[in-house]
Amino acid sequence: MRKLRAGLVIAMASACVVSAPNMATASRPTADPGVGQVTDPKLLAEITQAQSRRVEGDPQVTVELLTSDPATVAAEVTALGGTVTGAVPGALVQADVPISQIQAIAGARSVQHVQAPRSAGYVPTVGGRRTEAVLGTGPTAGSEVTSTNADVWQMAGYLGAGVKIGIIDYFDFTLWDTAENGPIPDGAHQFCQDTPAYGLCNAPNSIADEPFVGDHGVAVAEIIKDMAPSAEIYLATIATTADLQAAIDYFATNGVTIINRSLGAAYDGPGDGTGPLAAVVNSTVGKGMTWFNSAGNDAQDEYMKRSVPTNLGANAYVNFNDGRPAVGPTADTWLRIDAPGCFTLDGIRWSNDWNLPANQRTDYSVEFWQPTFDVTVNADSFNPTTGQVAAIDLSADGGTGTGHNIIDASQAGGANPLEAADLTVCPSNTYSQYFASGSVSYIRIKRNATTTVGATPDQLEIALSDGFLELYYYDINGSAAKPVVDSKNVGLVAVGAVESDINYQSDPYGIAYYSSQGPTTDGRIKPDVTAPAGFASATLAGAFHGTSAASPTAAGFAALLAGAGLGQPGGGMGALVRHFTSDVNAAVAPGPDNAYGAGVILFPGPPSAAIPATPGKYVPLDTPARILDTRAGANHIGPVELTGPYNTQSIIEANVLDGTLVPTSGVSAVAINLTSVDSKSIGFVQAYPYLRAATGATSTLNVSTVAAARPNFAIVPVGVDGNISIYMQAGGNVVVDLLGYFADGQTTTAEGRFVPLAEPERWMDTRGIGGAPLPAVFSGTPRQVAAGETVDIPVLAGTAVPDITVPSTTVQALVVNVTATGSLLSGFLRVIPKGTVGATHANVNFSYGSSAANTVIVPIGTNQGISIFTNRNADIVVDVVGYITSTDATVDQAGLFVPTTPTRVYNTIAPTSNPFAANEVRSIEVSGGATGVPTGVGGVSANLAVTGASANGFLKVFPGLTQPATSSLNYATAKTVANGALLSVNQGATPADPNTVSATMNRSGHLIIDINGYFLEAAPI
């Protein structure tokens, strides 16, 4: 049970005994009118120490400048003679600054707060138990490999090959066993930065052996190599938050996609997923990495929360006994801390004041005392008087008052409602009954007279990184609300621990007694998942307990998924790891909870086969069939376990080979209409083959308005066991209407082939624009289709559409793009074969003020016609882009469909691309290279999406150079809109040249194209 804080904090612990001038009389910066205040005790102490050294010139100190505008602050620092040494986007600047300029820098308009740099990571301890537990021994490979089913995946050939994993930790390479961990990563695989220099690094920037805690990082690497033997490892050791950002940039440059950090950190935010370290997480995920972090080991004896009554008097002390079954008086203003010697605080905060103006924050100060005699006989209820204690000297860390034992950051002066964060306290006694030669200390918290508590009670949180709180006084709920762990970003996975060792369990389902639990201060569930811990470690020569072991287990889990191509780095992988869990606590509390998160990570069976690469023919259903509706109640269709609504980032699997509508085998893909309903946020929904494509790598439909119904057409390759996955990044519910399927194993066929038109044709426009024919019931007068009205599209035989190229025979179904526009109400369109009755599906959902379009494959009905129903007054436009052949057609291979792994082939949001200018035409390659589509194809199945448009407009994607009169997609200002499309392509000059499409937008904006398959070209004669 190890209680050492690493790196920067080790140096701080030794600094506690350094002699310094009396802070009560030492020179301090003071606030002038219009100039910011320096209130951070640690920085004030460092300034005093720097001034006392009597060096020539203007001494400098290292500071962190909290800001939402690092670029402006960096320029101001430079202008004032400072040197910027690091930065975190949107959060802070780290700099060496002359002491004479600190006031000016603190008062700069863009600076929110100035403080001494905080440690960005320490090795957490497994505390809480009053007696030591005996470490177990076992085989070299930990049981985490078998308990997660990773061994089954490894035997199937999934070893994490091609995956790069970054480990942020402390390392002692003298403990590195190459038989266990492989060769020590060379200099190109190491990064080290400690600002200021605390001895963590060798020159140039390589990691120095850390003798105190270096076995921790080596043991973490051992777990990752056990889980993902072929993964490539990169190592980083850092000191401050800005150093951590520099390590992230290093990982990104080297192609790392998974990060493990089994470290804790002091409070730097209110526990709601904001703060400098949360900003580093956001930067990391934005660079395409998934971050795994230990949830913490603070659930027993290292965290407590107290509600401070609003009537707490001026200069009165907080009562820590709030009615708990503690031994001793009900009025207890002395909080006992037992520690192995020195101990470090993550901080004392009251988050309810975090976003209030300084004059509305309660101002507390914190006192540190130690007993003057052995208190063992009265250990857990000792409530001393001031005559029985002595002050602990904290002058090196900014202490003031009697014996320099008071920490006061001055919330009234603008400091955050946070005291003693990252503060190391070193008592000189050895009175602890729980640690050999350990210490006993007391904390008192006083409300300063400058402010009141406020209208609502302060929720005071006290967190240690080591040591024991007074017996009975700890809390479990909320202990996980620490920096990094509390991130809102789906690409951050906070990992709790389950233990097979009953001595470390707190319930029958295996949750570890020490594993930190949520909720966050804004009520979110943490941890995100749980993973095994307490298994054998060759590095530690025993068992590795703690969430520090659970986190690399989950990171290695992700590496196997990544090696199988199943998770998009960043948020997609984070969602997938949350999905592949077992709800072991379901009998008590089904669903995610604040002990287990989503559950214990567990692999499904490994992917057993690739997407069938043989061509298939399309088999349409007579009318669309609703096969899934996750809405509860009367709307629900499908298995009861697929009942929503779902939280954001949820994934479900739906079986589409039911043996009735679709055969149980011989099917390569299905054509569906996917609708998002009751979404919980803006975002997207992705339908993709289960265990055969990457979660988050593509999208099927985009949700730009929360809770609005949004449909889209898609061809989805079928996944393992006949399932498709649906990633509801936007949450809510989904509806799946089945239009038809592709029967594979075809070489040539007459029916079921897609024939794209060389130029799409507009067959109806009720606005009377462009000469397109009107429905017969309109009598030649343009008007909106009335609510509840069904109109027929001109039939193939004898149609009035000029220059029609669709044959009047050999057509089984039409592929049409249907647009609703001009409606004053929200509603839907239903496209059906003419003469169909009883249909209940919807193809297009529209709303007031914008156009909505969708692709539909609709079989030909009575008299070779199709019909459209609307439930609201709307104009309707119908463009025919191609057709599906019938049994009367010529036998050929042209138009047979071959599914591919869904792939993003074009994205103007990418850093190296640019948005479309209005009316710009671009040629885009849709085959060859990394598209998954061979050259020489006849067409592709794609999903088109426009985002960031400057104004309402339309997109055209077409073959050749001549723009058609039709459109592929209608979009709205600042909205993201998608539409499935079957596209005809341009042929290359030779069969080996890529196929292309042309694209243009009449307003500027971004275009994304995802492809999920292709159609064969006619065989050469």
Side-chain angles (χ1 to χ4, degrees), residues 210-310:
E210 174 52 75
F212 295 104
V213 291
D215 57 351
H216 186 268
V218 177
V220 165
E222 179 187 341
I223 295 171
I224 287 176
K225 294 299 285 187
D226 279 349
M227 291 289 292
S230 296
E232 186 175 355
I233 301 296
Y234 288 77
L235 309 179
T237 295
I238 52 86
T240 67
T241 303
D243 296 340
L244 177 59
Q245 180 64 57
I248 296 304
D249 295 340
Y250 158 80
F251 285 146
T253 299
N254 284 280
V256 169
T257 57
I258 294 171
I259 290 174
N260 185 82
R261 177 182 174 274
S262 290
L263 304 177
Y267 287 144
D268 72 346
D272 64 352
T274 61
L277 285 170
V280 178
V281 171
N282 293 337
S283 170
T284 302
V285 179
K287 294 176 183 292
M289 291 176 272
T290 310
W291 183 322
F292 292 84
N293 209 97
S294 52
N297 304 327
D298 303 326
Q300 190 172 82
D301 278 329
E302 293 191 349
Y303 170 81
M304 62 183 286
K305 179 182 284 189
R306 292 295 182 270
S307 180
V308 180
T310 59

Side-chain angles (χ1 to χ4, degrees), residues 29 42-64 76-85 94-103 105 114-117 195-198:
K42 189 180 295 293
L43 178 58
L44 292 171
E46 292 182 4
I47 291 171
T48 300
Q49 293 179 36
Q51 290 173 328
S52 70
R53 297 188 187 107
R54 300 182 182 276
V55 298
E56 293 185 6
D58 194 351
Q60 291 194 338
V61 291
T62 303
V63 298
E64 285 181 348
E76 292 169 337
V77 166
T78 302
L80 291 170
T83 302
V84 174
T85 58
Q94 180 177 273
D96 294 333
V97 299
I99 289 176
S100 64
Q101 298 298 327
I102 287 181
Q103 279 297 161
I105 290 173
V114 58
Q115 62 189 26
T195 309
Y198 288 101

